[in-house]
Amino acid sequence: MKKTVFFGALTVAGLAAGMASAATLDDVKARGSLNCGVTTGLVGFAAPNAEGVWEGFDVGVCRAVAAAIFGDPTAVEFVPTTGQTRFTALASGEIDLLARNTTWTMSRDVDLKFEFVGVNYYDGQGFMVPKALGVTSAKELDGATVCIQTGTTTELNLADFFRTNGISYEPVPIETNAEAQQQYLAGACDVYTTDASGLAATRATFEAPGDHVLLPEIISKEPLGPLVRHGDNEWGDIARWTLNALITAEELGVTSENIAELSAAAGDNPEVNRLLGTEGELGAQLGLDADWAKNAIMAGGNYGELFENNIGENTTIGLARGLNAQWTDGGLIYSPPFR
Amino acid sequence: MSDTHAQTVPYVRKTMVEQSPPPASEIGVVKWLRENLFSGPLNIILTLISLWVVYWVVSHVGPWLINGIWDADSLSECREIRNATMGEGTSAACFGVIGERWQQLVYGFYPKEAYWRPVVALLVFFAGLAPVLFASLPRKLLYFTMASPFLMFMLLWGGSIWGPIAVALGFGVGYAAIKLISPINGLLGTVAAIVLPILYWFLIAGPLAGAVNSVLPIGLEYIPSKDFGGFLLSSIIGVAGIFLSLPLGILLALARQSDLPIIKWCAVTFIEVIRGVPLIVWLFTASLLLNYFLPPGTNFDLMLRVIIMVTLFSAAYIAEVVRGGLAALPKGQYEGADSLGLNYWQSMQLIILPQALKISIPGIVNTFIGLFKDTTLVVFIGLFDPLGLAGAIRASTEWNGIYWELFLFIGIMFFIACFSMGRYSLYLEKKLQRDHR
């Protein structure tokens, strides 16, 4: 009896709330903070520090979107999600934006009814082996024992790769990355395979990282990006163009250091002016302030700065830009023009 | 006489022999060792193997523990310190991670300046529990016990003080309904005691608390559930689950024994369904399925959902444990209660349950210990229990690659909590011992 009344009341309250929440932006503004889904912890991409403040590359995207809306990069409620809970959390409206190294695939986009707003990291599955093994290519791995996380796309990719190359392997199923590190170091498997960024981060924690090599083959495409729900294109636009603003800022040389100077008055470069809101009305088109992109860039720097500070070559993770360099430098990072 | 004797049996001794100590092999350590460790070829072999295993473990773990480095800010700094002071390759724990993050492991993301609140709440908890656990304390303290859940809620979540008070008044409404209406009509009184508080909670409590708060705003800073983590989260889920599931479990056990078929079937169905499905599935139901059932935008606190699921799950187990206790009572106890003219609730309260619960104590405590440890399963739905936090801490660039130190700390904390529960149950069993062994 008690429970029925309780759920009944909840349903009524929820229906009222559901009808009111057509526009995510209005909800977010009314709430005063962005609910952003992140991982429960992935080196370099999202983790809480000793003060409980979230840091990382994906976290940077959340903060940029919050800054674009509120002018305040701290107006974010981080909702830790696991691989199982992330899509429900987004679909049910518990979070407004999911920035959780999620691979953009067709079924996730179409069948799960999400909108990937772009790619902030191009990843791919790689292999790590001990140097002592003397292997230089993944095609020489015939008969190797391979540590692999179960229930992931990496498992399927691995099977495909070995079948295509007509070689055999023996899988050692493991549950988490932490377990994989232990098993690999203990010699339970010859090869550890997962996303290349994860391999690099893992290798960086070894006592002797130099004793292990990443093989040159990347056997899958893993474009990781932030995503939103279907059905609110205005909200998707805000997330998409915030990410694009960070990318464009790097391309145009707008950094967190010179942005104050550049945004003070309209300069020589019209695209910089449009981006920073000293010219044109791009912010108003999104329903945001004219300095939305400036705030987003100031939150954690432009795309390149975010990369360098969180996962770049000067950090312990030490990822090279590779595919994630600007298109002008031979990478895939490319933003449509701000016009 | 003596002469004769002396001649016939010259070898008989005439003086007492000095008492000498028992042979070395029959006393003290040597005897104990011989009897317990080296009493036969098989035991000698087993002893030697065990000694070797103990030595192996200690020689590996001991130096690691003793060399532990406490003042480091990252794993790489730990390694540098170790290489500088002990030489490369020495086995040494890096306890710097505990030193830097223990507060996070205990409190989660709870604001630092409010750490006193969980501590006071814990004291309130023990103070409220004491009169229940130890019969020697004055009974008046039970009033404090009744107030303690509201006090703890107030301390942990904060917010306006009037909310918990308004909710507490609801129990007063129920009590008043029983006292005032039951003398007129028993059934009506019971129904009123259930319906009136519910109506009060849904219709009056909220506005009442709001109104009083606008006049007299007293309260603590509100702290949302998402800031709770670590052992604070485990303890809250565990303690709430334990204290809500015990009464529910007893009611379910009684319902399952009931002569009223509908009540019996409901109880059986509930118990079997809940027990037949793993807890992790119920947790996923709480976090995922409810999200689909509830309309979008509904903000139904995840922690509350988890507490409800954990409570229901543990109640089903408690019900079966209590049912075992009920079944162990001789039929004469039930008939004796009936022959005294006690009604159902009186006979249960005065005769049956005190005996049945006494029998069930080990089982109940066993279930509670299991429940407390099962709270770590919430890591799979993205809540930061100690294990979840260990993962998050490992995901920071400073501590990536650290395992055992964190797990050791978490293990010790859980051991302390579970071991104390086990000890208390032994104490209670001894105290309630009534049979003559």
Side-chain angles (χ1 to χ4, degrees):
Chain A
M1 165 72 195
K2 188 175 165 185
K3 215 178 285 168
T4 322
V5 174
F6 187 48
F7 283 118
L10 272 177
T11 315
V12 172
L15 278 178
M19 275 180 272
S21 67
T24 313
L25 179 61
D26 295 341
D27 288 354
V28 171
K29 277 185 171 166
R31 202 189 302 132
S33 66
L34 172 77
N35 286 342
C36 197
V38 290
T39 75
T40 50
L42 180 69
V43 186
F45 285 85
N49 68 9
E51 308 299 313
V53 178
W54 285 84
E55 291 171 344
F57 190 59
D58 281 339
V59 168
V61 174
C62 295
R63 293 205 185 279
V65 174
I69 299 168
F70 298 107
D72 175 12
T74 61
V76 194
E77 298 288 346
F78 290 100
V79 179
T81 56
T82 68
Q84 286 89 14
T85 62
R86 54 181 165 183
F87 296 127
T88 331
L90 182 60
S92 66
E94 195 183 331
I95 54 178
D96 309 309
L97 174 72
L98 180 65
R100 189 203 179 276
N101 63 314
T102 303
T103 307
W104 186 350
T105 65
M106 181 174 162
S107 62
R108 283 172 181 174
D109 198 331
V110 178
D111 189 36
L112 295 181
K113 301 205 175 353
F114 294 129
E115 192 79 35
F116 282 81
V117 299
V119 175
N120 67 340
Y121 190 86
Y122 287 96
D123 213 337
Q125 187 177 344
F127 297 95
M128 176 163 62
V129 293
K131 212 171 218 168
L133 212 59
V135 172
T136 54
S137 158
K139 289 173 185 160
E140 298 166 20
L141 288 175
D142 195 9
T145 48
V146 183
C147 274
I148 180 135
Q149 272 168 280
T150 50
T152 61
T153 49
T154 52
E155 203 177 7
L156 308 173
N157 296 335
L158 182 73
D160 288 353
F161 175 79
F162 276 78
R163 205 178 66 187
T164 330
N165 288 289
I167 49 180
S168 67
Y169 70 101
E170 193 184 322
V172 179
I174 41 126
E175 212 35 63
T176 62
N177 188 46
E179 194 190 336
Q181 293 187 22
Q182 295 279 305
Q183 295 279 13
Y184 174 76
L185 283 178
C189 48
D190 305 325
V191 191
Y192 176 36
T193 178
T194 185
D195 287 349
S197 63
L199 286 180
T202 304
R203 190 177 66 156
T205 69
F206 289 172
E207 289 240 42
D211 292 352
H212 304 269
V213 286
L214 302 187
L215 299 178
E217 281 86 355
I218 298 292
I219 62 166
S220 72
K221 292 188 287 187
E222 312 276 349
L224 311 177
L227 54 156
V228 298
R229 275 182 299 282
H230 265 188
D232 188 351
N233 294 3
E234 286 75 16
W235 175 247
D237 286 345
I238 289 173
R240 174 176 299 112
W241 286 96
T242 305
L243 181 59
N244 283 339
L246 300 181
I247 294 170
T248 305
E250 192 195 7
E251 188 186 338
L252 299 176
V254 179
T255 66
S256 51
E257 269 140 37
N258 65 16
I259 191 166
E261 189 190 327
L262 288 171
S263 62
D268 302 334
N269 188 336
E271 184 149 20
V272 173
N273 294 344
R274 284 194 296 272
L275 175 68
L276 299 180
T278 50
E279 221 178 274
E281 295 197 323
L282 293 180
Q285 288 174 10
L286 286 171
L288 300 174
D289 297 336
D291 57 356
W292 66 282
K294 177 196 150 200
N295 291 333
I297 297 160
M298 283 174 76
N302 63 31
Y303 179 84
E305 288 174 280
L306 269 180
F307 194 103
E308 287 311 322
N309 294 338
N310 291 302
I311 51 180
E313 285 180 314
N314 295 324
T315 65
T316 51
I317 302 162
L319 291 174
R321 284 296 286 269
L323 285 179
N324 298 293
Q326 288 283 336
W327 64 285
T328 45
D329 300 332
L332 293 176
I333 295 294
Y334 184 99
S335 157
F338 276 71
R339 182 169 290 280
Chain B
M1 179 76 184
S2 68
D3 285 353
T4 323
H5 198 74
Q7 280 155 7
T8 50
V9 269
Y11 45 83
V12 170
R13 201 167 217 162
K14 288 173 197 148
T15 48
M16 287 295 285
V17 181
E18 277 289 303
Q19 273 195 7
S20 59
S25 63
E26 287 300 317
I27 50 161
V29 183
V30 177
K31 182 190 179 201
W32 188 90
L33 283 177
R34 275 182 65 125
E35 281 186 1
N36 292 292
L37 299 179
F38 300 101
S39 59
L42 178 68
N43 283 346
I44 290 175
I45 294 171
L46 287 178
T47 302
L48 290 177
I49 293 177
S50 311
L51 276 178
W52 182 79
V53 169
V54 170
Y55 167 78
W56 190 84
V57 170
V58 170
S59 66
H60 279 74
V61 178
W64 180 78
L65 277 177
I66 292 164
N67 293 340
I69 297 163
W70 283 90
D71 48 351
D73 290 332
S74 71
L75 183 59
S76 47
E77 196 185 328
C78 260
R79 285 174 179 158
E80 274 164 29
I81 293 176
R82 184 199 62 188
N83 291 348
T85 56
M86 292 169 247
E88 217 157 304
T90 320
S91 153
C94 183
F95 290 119
V97 65
I98 309 291
E100 190 191 273
R101 297 293 186 108
W102 71 270
Q103 289 178 317
Q104 217 168 56
L105 283 168
V106 174
Y107 299 105
F109 304 131
Y110 211 79
K112 274 206 167 69
E113 64 278 5
Y115 277 171
W116 62 272
R117 282 161 56 173
V119 176
V120 176
L122 190 69
L123 294 178
V124 169
F125 170 68
F126 283 125
L129 203 56
V132 182
L133 295 191
F134 303 103
S136 54
L137 292 170
R139 294 295 87 192
K140 284 259 162 68
L141 281 176
L142 282 173
Y143 289 109
F144 180 75
T145 305
M146 279 188 252
S148 59
F150 300 99
L151 212 53
M152 288 193 297
F153 177 85
M154 187 61 221
L155 280 165
L156 289 171
W157 275 271
S160 159
I161 196 170
W162 301 111
I165 290 181
V167 172
L169 273 179
F171 291 100
V173 170
Y175 184 73
I178 284 199
K179 280 285 152 196
L180 295 179
I181 305 177
S182 281
I184 307 166
N185 181 329
L187 183 64
L188 191 68
T190 314
V191 173
I194 296 171
V195 173
L196 285 182
I198 292 174
L199 286 177
Y200 163 82
W201 279 322
F202 274 103
L203 301 177
I204 305 174
L208 178 72
V212 181
N213 191 46
S214 60
V215 181
L216 198 62
I218 312 176
L220 290 164
E221 187 204 347
Y222 173 69
I223 295 171
S225 295
K226 69 168 191 64
D227 285 350
F228 289 64
F231 281 99
L232 180 61
L233 180 77
S234 286
S235 315
I236 291 175
I237 296 177
V239 167
I242 285 171
F243 283 94
L244 296 173
S245 68
L246 185 60
L248 192 60
I250 294 174
L251 283 181
L252 277 171
L254 293 180
R256 193 169 182 167
Q257 299 256 311
S258 169
D259 298 330
L260 308 170
I262 294 184
I263 290 184
K264 183 178 174 164
W265 293 336
C266 286
V268 170
T269 315
F270 178 87
I271 291 170
E272 295 304 335
V273 168
I274 294 272
R275 224 165 40 131
V277 179
L279 177 58
I280 187 78
V281 174
W282 292 118
L283 291 178
F284 274 124
T285 310
S287 93
L288 301 181
L289 225 52
L290 278 182
N291 271 348
Y292 281 124
F293 290 154
L294 296 172
T298 316
N299 192 7
F300 186 10
D301 196 284
L302 181 57
M303 199 161 142
L304 183 62
R305 282 186 261 168
V306 167
I307 289 178
I308 292 174
M309 281 302 174
V310 166
T311 303
L312 296 182
F313 188 78
S314 143
Y317 277 87
I318 296 282
E320 287 302 277
V321 172
V322 173
R323 192 168 69 94
L326 290 173
L329 285 192
K331 198 152 181 269
Q333 296 292 326
Y334 291 88
E335 290 166 350
D338 288 345
S339 68
L340 285 173
L342 300 178
N343 70 22
Y344 179 76
W345 290 111
Q346 283 170 330
S347 69
M348 284 301 143
Q349 193 190 341
L350 299 172
I351 311 270
I352 307 298
L353 279 182
Q355 301 181 66
L357 289 181
K358 193 195 87 186
I359 301 172
S360 321
I361 288 171
I364 292 176
V365 175
N366 195 23
T367 311
F368 285 163
I369 291 176
L371 163 70
F372 185 59
K373 289 188 294 181
D374 280 350
T375 57
T376 51
L377 285 176
V378 299
V379 69
F380 293 109
I381 54 171
L383 286 180
F384 277 131
D385 81 311
L387 284 181
L389 271 170
I393 290 169
R394 260 203 316 270
S396 63
T397 40
E398 299 93 50
W399 298 116
N400 187 10
I402 210 160
Y403 308 92
W404 302 111
E405 293 83 351
L406 288 169
F407 289 143
L408 191 69
F409 180 76
I410 294 168
I412 289 175
M413 294 288 276
F414 268 107
F415 178 78
I416 292 172
C418 296
F419 188 69
S420 349
M421 277 196 260
R423 287 284 109 180
Y424 173 72
S425 104
L426 283 184
Y427 156 85
L428 198 61
E429 269 173 65
K430 273 209 195 97
K431 199 186 72 160
L432 297 179
Q433 196 90 302
R434 288 288 178 275
D435 48 7
H436 311 284
R437 278 193 195 147

